[in-house]
Amino acid sequence: MSKYPLFSIEGEHVGNKVRFADKHFAIEGNLSSAGLFGRHAFPPGSAKTITLVEGQDDALAAFQINGGKYPVVSVHSASTALNDVKKDFEYLNSFDTIVVNFDNDEAGRKAAKSVASAGFPLGKVKVLTTRKHKDANDYLLNKDTEAYIR
């Protein structure tokens, strides 16, 4: 079992997303005010680029793969991605570039397209579609981090 703490936009801990070994999830607390996973670790505009992924494990994996050089945050799921981004629009917009790297499946591609057209300035959002594995966590688990970086 893994617990992922979630914070409001104001930085208050509002609950946890709990992942069980069989990959089902539970929620602890009231997550209606939760911002993007990981946003509390990276102040607005703290780097030129931020990566936005689909899932807490992917956020941790992408951060590890990039050697901790760039902020990585996550939407709560593909189905909530657009609303998650709208809630944290100003935060994401404080970075020069937003790299959207959602799962390479139908839901992830659709969510990435909707986030890319969420009203950010032209050219700010770059969509990274992985080819070899489904997501950042799969690249890490398969020890194929160099391919993810390329």
Side-chain angles (χ1 to χ4, degrees):
M1 173 179 68
S2 300
K3 281 191 180 190
Y4 305 98
L6 297 170
F7 296 83
S8 69
I9 292 172
E10 295 79 24
E12 176 188 349
H13 180 245
V14 294
N16 301 302
K17 187 171 181 183
V18 182
R19 181 179 177 162
F20 295 92
D22 65 2
K23 294 190 177 185
H24 83 274
F25 292 91
I27 301 297
E28 297 175 342
N30 180 358
L31 303 187
S32 63
S33 65
L36 298 168
F37 172 76
R39 90 180 293 283
H40 68 285
F42 310 105
S46 59
K48 286 188 171 233
T49 302
I50 189 166
T51 300
L52 179 65
V53 296
E54 179 191 338
Q56 293 79 11
D57 288 337
D58 291 333
L60 298 172
F63 187 71
Q64 182 175 337
I65 290 169
N66 78 34
K69 295 177 187 172
Y70 309 102
V72 181
V73 295
S74 171
V75 296
H76 300 292
S77 71
S79 63
T80 65
L82 184 56
N83 286 334
D84 295 342
V85 166
K86 284 180 179 179
K87 187 185 294 183
D88 261 324
F89 184 89
E90 292 304 319
Y91 171 76
L92 290 169
N93 202 36
S94 72
F95 296 87
D96 293 343
T97 303
I98 304 163
V99 177
V100 177
N101 178 217
F102 290 170
D103 292 0
N104 189 10
D105 59 19
E106 185 177 342
R109 288 187 296 273
K110 181 178 176 185
K113 194 178 280 189
S114 70
V115 165
S117 59
F120 293 103
L122 189 63
K124 180 177 272 255
V125 177
K126 313 287 185 207
V127 176
L128 169 64
T129 303
T130 57
R131 304 206 188 293
K132 195 171 181 184
H133 302 288
K134 180 181 167 196
D135 55 33
N137 195 43
D138 281 350
Y139 277 86
L140 185 62
L141 291 173
N142 286 290
K143 297 176 178 41
D144 202 7
T145 58
E146 289 299 318
Y148 181 82
I149 292 169
R150 279 193 305 274

